[in-house]
Amino acid sequence: MARALTLTRWRWLACSAALMVLSLSPASALAQDIAPVGDPLEVALTTGPLLPGEVLRSSALTFPSILEAFEREAAARSDQLSADGAFDLMLKGEYYDRLSGFYSGGFGKVEARQPLRPFGAEVFGSYRASDGDFPIYENYNFTNRLGEAKVGALFSLLRNRDIDARRFAIEDTRLAASQARLDVLLVQLNVQHEALRAYWRWVAAGEEIRVFEELLEIAEARQVGLSREVREGARPRIALTENEQNLLRRRTLLEEAKRNFLTAANSLGFYLRDANGQMYVPTREQLPDTDTIAAMAEMEALVAAPLSAVIRSRPELQTFRLALERATNRVALRRNDLLPRLDASVELSRDFGAIGPGGPSFDSTDTVVGLTFTVPLQRREARGRLQRAEAELRETELRQRRIADQITTEVDNILANLGAAQKLAELADAEVTQATTMVQAERTRFRLGAGDFFLVNLREESAADAQVRAIRAELAGRLAEASYNAATMNLDALGLE
C-alpha cells in the first residue's frame, strides 16, 4: 500500500539492532531449537509474519464451531445406523416344560425373523421339538420325534405396503445425515469468512499504527529543531507551543490506533488456536509486509463462474431441498396412516421323524395362508397428523423461496460493494500520491522561508488522513472479496481444500 511518509533512517537502524540482539539471546536460541520439533500449526502461528493461509488453516482445524458441526454429523450418522437396526435379523428361543402334574408335555423352540423393506414384509423360520403328553387345549404343541420345521412370510397389502415408520426412519435419518454434512460446510464457510475478515482488520489496524507513528516521529523530530531555534532566537516561542499542541494531538491519534489494533488482535485471536484449542493473540511483530501479500483479485476473475449455478449449490438451498424431501416423506407416511390395514401371511411347516404322541395327524406338510383386515372408522388422529405434515411442507417451500431470494440479494450487494471498494481503493492511492506531493512542496517552501508552519502541519496530517483512507479502502476491498468467496463457496480461497 502506498505511503506518503517513510520511516527515518535511525528507526530502521534501531529495529535492525534490536532484532540482532534478540536473535543472539539465549531465549531466542532456545526457541529456534524448539520450533522445528513443535506442532507445525503452532510454529506457524508463533514465528515469522502471520499470513492469511495460516489463519485459515488454524480456524479450519481447531475452531470449536467447526468441531461441533463434525460431532453433530457423527451423531446424525449414528441415528442412521440406529434406524437401520429396525431390519436386523432377530433370533428368539423358547422353552416350555411341566415339572409336575398329570401331563408331562414340554417343548423347545428356536425362531429367526428377518424384516424386509418391500411390502413391509417379514420372513421367518423356526424349529420346534416336543416330548410328552399335552392336554387337548395345547394339542398344537405336539411334534414328531425329530421336531417340526416351519417357514413363512407376512406381507402388507394396503397400509405399510409402500412406507411405514421403519422405512421412513431409515430414509429420514439418511437425509438428516446429509443435512448435517451440509451444516458442516455452512459452518466452515461462515467461520473461515469471519476469520479472514478478522485477519484483514488486524492488518489494517497495524498499518494505521505505522502511519500515526511516522506522523508523531516527524513532530518529535521537529520539536528538537524548534527548541534549538527558539533558544537561539530564530523563532518565537509560540511556534514551539504550536508544535507541542500537534504532538499531543498526534499522540492521541496513535493511542487510539493502538487501542483499535489491540481490539483487532483479540478478535483475530478468537480464530487462532493451538492444537489444544487454546486461543493465541497475535502480536504486532507478526504483522506481514503488505507488499508481499497477494493483491486483491480482479473483478472479472472473481465473477467468472455463473452466479446462478453457484447460488443453487449453496449449502442452505441444498439443505432446504433435503428438508423438502423429508417433509414429503412425512406426508406420505401420514397418508399411509389413513389406509386400512390388510395383511397377508403364508406358512409352510413339516414334521420329521417317527410319529410322536400327537398321532398321525401331525405327520404331514401343512400350508397355511391368511388375511387380516383392520380399519379405524373415524381416523381423526391420522387426519390431524396428515394436515400438520402438509402444512409443514408448505412452510418449508415458502422458507426455501425466501432464503433463495435472500442469498441472491446478498450476492448482488457483495458484488456492488466489491466493485465500489476496488474503485475507491484506486482513488485513495491516487489521493495519497497527491497528498505526498503537497507535503514535499510545503516543506520545501517552509525551509526556504516562504511557507507557513501551520500549513506544513496541515499538509502532513492531510497526507496521513489520505493514507488511513487508503488503508481502509483496501480493507473494504479485502472484506468484500472475503464475503464474495464465502458466498460463492470458493473453498480454495477460504483454506478448505
Side-chain angles (χ1 to χ4, degrees):
M1 190 176 295
R3 291 191 181 91
L5 304 176
T6 58
L7 291 172
T8 58
R9 184 179 300 275
W10 65 266
R11 185 183 177 198
W12 283 110
L13 292 174
C15 291
S16 301
L19 289 174
M20 185 177 297
V21 171
L22 288 175
S23 65
L24 295 176
S25 65
S28 178
L30 180 59
Q32 291 175 0
D33 290 339
I34 294 176
V37 297
D39 180 78
L41 179 59
E42 191 169 346
V43 171
L45 295 179
T46 55
T47 60
L50 186 60
L51 300 177
E54 296 166 351
V55 174
L56 293 174
R57 187 157 57 97
S58 173
S59 57
L61 294 176
T62 64
F63 195 71
S65 294
I66 293 178
L67 301 181
E68 290 169 16
F70 277 116
E71 293 301 330
R72 286 194 297 270
E73 183 190 10
R77 297 294 180 193
S78 300
D79 291 339
Q80 186 178 7
L81 178 63
S82 178
D84 288 336
F87 289 89
D88 286 347
L89 177 66
M90 299 296 293
L91 185 64
K92 178 182 177 182
E94 185 178 356
Y95 175 73
Y96 174 86
D97 201 3
R98 285 180 167 83
L99 299 180
S100 63
F102 180 79
Y103 295 100
S104 60
F107 68 87
K109 179 181 179 181
V110 61
E111 180 183 61
R113 287 182 174 267
Q114 176 64 63
L116 302 176
R117 298 190 187 187
F119 292 95
E122 182 178 81
V123 295
F124 63 89
S126 66
Y127 174 78
R128 183 170 58 91
S130 68
D131 189 24
D133 294 327
F134 293 92
I136 189 64
Y137 49 83
E138 293 181 9
N139 187 50
Y140 54 84
N141 287 328
F142 282 114
T143 67
N144 281 357
R145 294 299 184 184
L146 295 182
E148 174 201 60
K150 179 186 292 186
V151 294
L154 305 174
F155 302 93
S156 297
L157 303 180
L158 289 176
R159 187 193 299 179
N160 298 340
R161 183 187 64 182
D162 300 319
I163 188 173
D164 58 19
R166 297 176 302 175
R167 283 174 284 173
F168 168 79
I170 287 177
E171 184 65 12
D172 193 61
T173 54
R174 182 188 67 81
L175 295 172
S178 298
Q179 284 183 313
R181 179 58 199 154
L182 290 172
D183 181 62
V184 171
L185 177 59
L186 183 60
V187 171
Q188 287 176 320
L189 290 174
N190 291 335
V191 169
Q192 299 300 84
H193 176 213
E194 292 302 324
L196 203 53
R197 289 170 64 88
Y199 174 80
W200 290 122
R201 289 192 180 101
W202 173 71
V203 171
E207 288 294 295
E208 289 189 20
I209 285 182
R210 292 172 183 171
V211 170
F212 291 122
E213 281 182 341
E214 292 167 3
L215 190 63
L216 178 60
E217 287 173 2
I218 292 170
E220 289 174 341
R222 183 172 294 136
Q223 185 76 353
V224 174
L226 288 175
S227 297
R228 184 179 63 253
E229 292 178 1
V230 168
R231 287 196 304 269
E232 295 173 352
R235 288 191 182 273
R237 185 166 184 82
I238 192 63
L240 190 61
T241 303
E242 183 179 1
N243 195 63
E244 288 174 350
Q245 184 181 17
N246 290 332
L247 277 170
L248 291 175
R249 182 168 60 251
R250 294 180 184 186
R251 287 192 181 112
T252 300
L253 292 173
L254 179 58
E255 289 303 319
E256 290 176 351
K258 289 180 177 179
R259 178 200 61 194
N260 294 337
F261 176 78
L262 181 59
T263 301
N266 289 334
S267 298
L268 178 56
F270 184 57
Y271 299 96
L272 293 178
R273 297 168 185 265
D274 60 20
N276 297 322
Q278 297 298 317
M279 292 189 298
Y280 174 77
V281 179
T283 64
R284 188 180 169 193
E285 288 72 19
Q286 293 179 268
L287 282 168
D289 185 352
T290 53
D291 294 333
T292 63
I293 297 179
M296 285 188 294
E298 294 296 331
M299 189 75 172
E300 294 76 10
L302 283 175
V303 297
L307 288 181
S308 58
V310 172
I311 291 174
R312 284 196 300 270
S313 63
R314 286 279 304 178
E316 299 97 323
L317 297 184
Q318 293 188 58
T319 297
F320 270 112
R321 284 191 283 272
L322 294 174
L324 284 173
E325 192 173 348
R326 294 179 69 183
T328 302
N329 290 343
R330 189 171 288 106
V331 169
L333 177 65
R334 297 315 175 197
R335 286 176 179 167
N336 171 75
D337 294 340
L338 286 173
L339 297 174
R341 184 157 191 161
L342 180 63
D343 297 335
S345 63
V346 58
E347 293 181 359
L348 178 66
S349 62
R350 173 67 188 176
D351 282 64
F352 299 95
I355 297 176
S361 62
F362 288 87
D363 187 27
S364 64
T365 299
D366 297 334
T367 303
V368 180
V369 296
L371 288 174
T372 304
F373 178 81
T374 59
V375 58
L377 295 181
Q378 292 178 298
R379 298 179 292 177
R380 289 178 295 183
E381 179 181 1
R383 286 201 303 270
R385 290 180 177 179
L386 174 59
Q387 291 172 5
R388 179 179 180 84
E390 290 174 338
E392 290 175 347
L393 175 60
R394 292 191 297 270
E395 177 191 4
T396 304
E397 290 173 340
L398 293 171
R399 190 183 304 121
Q400 181 192 34
R401 185 183 309 167
R402 174 177 62 82
I403 295 300
D405 293 342
Q406 179 179 330
I407 292 174
T408 301
T409 302
E410 289 177 354
V411 172
D412 290 340
N413 290 338
I414 290 171
L415 281 175
N417 290 334
L418 182 58
Q422 291 185 343
K423 292 179 181 178
L424 289 173
E426 294 174 359
L427 292 172
D429 286 339
E431 185 182 359
V432 169
T433 302
Q434 296 295 331
T436 301
T437 302
M438 293 299 297
V439 168
Q440 293 171 348
E442 198 62 45
R443 286 174 180 168
T444 301
R445 293 180 67 239
F446 182 72
R447 284 196 302 269
L448 297 176
D452 183 82
F453 182 60
F454 173 77
L455 286 178
V456 173
N457 287 326
L458 183 61
R459 298 299 186 195
E460 289 172 349
E461 292 179 3
S462 296
D465 289 341
Q467 290 183 76
V468 171
R469 285 194 295 272
I471 291 170
R472 293 177 181 176
E474 173 89 4
L475 171 62
R478 293 289 190 180
L479 297 183
E481 183 181 11
S483 297
Y484 183 81
N485 286 331
T488 57
M489 295 188 301
N490 188 340
L491 301 184
D492 184 53
L494 296 174
L496 295 176
E497 282 190 348

